Amino acid sequence: MHRREVTEIMPMTLILLVIAVVAVLFVARSINVPLNTMIKTVQDVENESDLSKRVGLSHVLELNQLANAFNSMLIKFQSIIADASQVSVTTTNAAEKMVAISEQGSSHLQEQQEQVSSVSRSMDEMTEAVGHVTETITEAVNIAESAHQSAKQGHTVVQQSIEKINQVSVMLNRWQN
């Protein structure tokens, strides 16, 4: 009887085992195919740096949630990169404006430096000219003082001569009389 039961149960067990294996293969395939698709998409994103790739949805709830989370992450990455790109463009534009302002400021400073140098040269030339004028005036004052002294001496000589002439005239007048 035991043998008979085993013989009767054996085909049923075999059928159940085949059904279980088919069910396991079906479940494994229904998980494995979407999971391999996700892995392929992740690898494509990594290798191609293409954040526009998306994972397809699956009929397995957990895999569907994972696909949605991954797709949301890619969208956020795209947004962050777009923001960073915009900041980079803005920063580049600001840097270019700063360079232009700096070059313009440098140009103005160079012009001012040239003008200051020109004024300095003019001041040096004026100082030298004032020195020459001062020397000339000093010489003229010395000459004028010398002429004044000579004129005083000449005046004294003329006065003395007039006195002598007057004395001689008085003597001649007396002698004639």
Side-chain angles (χ1 to χ4, degrees):
M1 169 138 177
H2 193 266
R3 215 177 165 131
R4 195 172 161 222
E5 286 176 9
V6 170
T7 329
E8 287 177 10
I9 295 177
M10 190 76 134
M12 187 65 103
T13 305
L14 205 53
I15 291 174
L16 286 175
L17 184 63
V18 168
I19 291 174
V21 168
V22 168
V24 166
L25 287 175
F26 178 74
V27 169
R29 180 173 165 81
S30 69
I31 293 173
N32 210 15
V33 169
L35 200 52
N36 283 336
T37 302
M38 276 188 206
I39 290 171
K40 170 102 172 79
T41 303
V42 169
Q43 289 171 340
D44 287 348
V45 167
E46 176 188 11
N47 293 334
E48 299 170 16
S49 299
D50 182 3
L51 296 177
S52 67
K53 300 253 184 204
R54 297 291 180 265
V55 174
L57 298 180
S58 169
H59 60 281
V60 178
L61 179 63
E62 290 79 9
L63 290 179
N64 212 11
Q65 289 172 341
L66 180 62
N68 282 332
F70 182 75
N71 290 338
S72 292
M73 180 184 69
L74 289 177
I75 290 169
K76 287 179 184 176
F77 284 168
Q78 278 182 307
S79 175
I80 289 169
I81 289 173
D83 290 347
S85 177
Q86 182 59 40
V87 167
S88 175
V89 167
T90 303
T91 303
T92 300
N93 290 340
E96 288 172 354
K97 287 179 183 176
M98 291 295 287
V99 165
I101 290 169
S102 175
E103 288 173 350
Q104 186 179 22
S106 177
S107 173
H108 287 305
L109 285 175
Q110 190 173 14
E111 287 175 16
Q112 286 179 350
Q113 184 180 12
E114 290 171 3
Q115 289 173 353
V116 166
S117 293
S118 176
V119 168
S120 176
R121 282 191 301 273
S122 295
M123 293 289 288
D124 288 345
E125 291 171 2
M126 287 175 64
T127 301
E128 187 177 332
V130 167
H132 288 304
V133 168
T134 302
E135 288 174 10
T136 304
I137 289 173
T138 302
E139 286 178 28
V141 166
N142 289 339
I143 291 170
E145 283 179 6
S146 177
H148 179 69
Q149 288 299 326
S150 294
K152 269 176 128 182
Q153 288 174 352
H155 178 66
T156 302
V157 168
V158 168
Q159 286 297 335
Q160 288 173 352
S161 295
I162 290 174
E163 270 183 42
K164 293 281 185 193
I165 291 175
N166 283 339
Q167 286 176 358
V168 168
S169 173
V170 167
M171 280 174 72
L172 273 176
N173 278 339
R174 267 193 224 160
W175 194 55
Q176 273 186 356
N177 283 349

